[in-house]
Amino acid sequence: MANSTPLHVVTGKGGTGKTTVAAALALALAGKGLKVLLCEVEGRQGIAQLFDVPPLPYEERRIATSDAGGHVHALAIDPEAALLEYLQMYYRLGRAGRALDKFGVIDFATTIAPGVRDVLLTGKVYEATRRRTGDKSSRFVYDAVVVDAPPTGRIARFLGVNDDVAGLAKVGPIKTQSESIMSMMRSPQTAVHLVTVLEEMPVQETLDGIDELSREGLPVGHVVVNLVRPSLLSDDTVEALEAGRLDAKAVAPVLEKAGLPRDAAATLVADGFGHIERQQLQNEQCTIIEECGRPHVTLPLLTGGIDLGALQDLAAELAPLVEDAR
């Protein structure tokens, strides 16, 4: 019997769309009829913006429902509030804990020791994955937890921070909880998904992230290739451009016949070569991803911005990831 509900950690280099992917993954899981908790840990309120809801408090709120009966609840984890909750849960400080907050002691502690923030954030995620209903069934409250996590360059340290805490605390509840959190992070119930785009630096950072996570014994899930641009030119057009048969002189009469200015031909041909170059770069980086040894899914570049409908479209594309996770 599992000790925790499945945990999906979504990371990626800044600008790759990891928050969007995390939101789409939560919707994909809900589309299977599951009750999902989508957590944010960086204080950016990215989830609220994507789902067009008011800023999230430190409180779990339902933000989406699927036709299959699944739900997405969201939580913006605040380190200070998490510390107060921790003190109350394990030390029953009550008013004394609130007094610490009033005097700024909690803010001081989480600022002067940044690692403390990660301990609190991962501790709250751990609590959410293990929480059970209070009825006779004693089932997990959530069927899956999805975390919009820190960027790839910081993900191994974020997920492994409790290893350091367990090493410092020789005995007591802090050591016990830290070891339990690391057991969950390294269990088959957890998967760390890495989001990238088909550019050299993000792909290299993804490969480095896979290596670092693997060395730390943290389970790597899928690579999600995001914002993939479709090819706009046919194979025949590409061949003609590269062979020099389709130049400005050849294009100008076609533009004129279509009622367009002839002098746009040179720009149009240059744009065609630029598109071919971008597609070649995408193909090269895609080959690298395919050879990295991890399963991957591809998400298209969507025009017109990201709204709930667009998120649903991306959720449908994540079906292979969801099926593999079940």
Side-chain angles (χ1 to χ4, degrees):
M1 181 178 179
N3 292 322
S4 62
T5 197
L7 171 64
H8 298 272
V9 179
V10 180
T11 184
K13 181 177 173 60
T16 59
K18 70 178 178 65
T19 300
T20 300
V21 172
L25 176 56
L27 286 173
L29 291 164
K32 298 297 182 181
L34 305 181
K35 184 177 181 181
V36 184
L37 178 64
L38 174 60
C39 300
E40 181 178 68
V41 299
E42 294 185 282
R44 295 185 292 106
Q45 290 293 337
I47 293 172
Q49 295 174 34
L50 284 172
F51 286 89
D52 194 23
V53 297
L56 298 170
Y58 185 62
E59 174 185 311
E60 294 160 23
R61 290 187 174 180
R62 184 186 298 186
I63 58 172
T65 301
S66 76
D67 293 338
H71 306 290
V72 176
H73 290 69
L75 172 66
I77 305 177
D78 175 72
E80 289 76 18
L83 179 54
L84 284 175
E85 184 179 41
Y86 177 86
L87 293 173
Q88 174 60 26
M89 185 180 300
Y90 290 98
Y91 295 98
R92 301 290 191 270
L93 288 190
R95 292 181 179 177
R98 288 189 291 274
L100 289 175
D101 187 36
K102 181 178 179 181
F103 287 108
V105 174
I106 292 174
D107 185 60
F108 174 76
T110 56
T111 300
I112 199 171
V116 172
R117 299 178 68 88
D118 291 347
V119 170
L120 296 168
L121 295 170
T122 54
K124 181 58 182 177
V125 171
Y126 170 77
E127 184 275 328
T129 63
R130 291 176 58 88
R131 194 187 315 154
R132 295 181 181 271
T133 59
D135 56 23
K136 292 182 180 179
S137 68
S138 189
R139 298 178 58 187
F140 290 119
V141 171
Y142 293 105
D143 299 305
V145 175
V146 178
V147 179
D148 176 20
T152 316
R154 204 166 72 81
I155 189 62
R157 181 168 180 79
F158 172 76
L159 296 176
V161 66
N162 285 278
D163 257 349
D164 297 334
V165 174
L168 292 173
K170 301 302 181 183
V171 294
I174 293 178
K175 179 178 178 61
T176 300
Q177 186 189 33
S178 297
E179 291 177 340
S180 297
I181 292 173
M182 289 313 305
S183 293
M184 176 199 68
M185 292 296 183
R186 293 186 171 118
S187 78
Q189 294 293 101
T190 297
V192 185
H193 308 295
L194 298 97
V195 182
T196 187
V197 294
L198 293 176
E199 297 173 6
E200 187 173 354
M201 288 184 63
V203 167
Q204 185 58 55
E205 187 166 315
T206 298
L207 298 181
D208 292 342
I210 291 172
D211 288 343
E212 187 175 11
L213 290 165
S214 299
R215 287 197 303 271
E216 297 297 324
L218 295 163
V220 178
H222 282 64
V223 175
V224 180
V225 182
N226 196 22
L227 306 176
V228 176
R229 296 174 180 271
S231 178
L232 303 177
L233 302 177
S234 68
D235 291 342
D236 289 342
T237 301
V238 171
E239 182 182 355
L241 279 168
E242 292 180 333
R245 297 193 305 272
L246 193 59
D247 55 12
K249 185 177 180 180
V251 171
V254 179
L255 291 178
E256 185 176 38
K257 187 175 181 180
L260 299 172
R262 293 175 60 95
D263 56 8
T267 300
L268 189 61
V269 170
D271 287 345
F273 279 111
H275 178 73
I276 292 172
E277 185 177 352
R278 287 192 297 272
Q279 291 302 118
Q280 289 174 340
L281 173 62
Q282 276 199 164
N283 294 339
E284 291 169 2
Q285 298 305 312
C286 187
T287 299
I288 293 173
I289 291 296
E290 290 172 350
E291 295 175 349
C292 77
R294 302 306 312 168
H296 67 280
V297 293
T298 300
L299 299 180
L301 172 67
L302 298 180
T303 58
I306 300 294
D307 55 14
L308 188 56
L311 284 176
Q312 294 285 9
D313 291 341
L314 294 177
E317 298 289 339
L318 288 172
L321 190 158
V322 172
E323 292 301 325
D324 287 352
R326 296 181 71 192

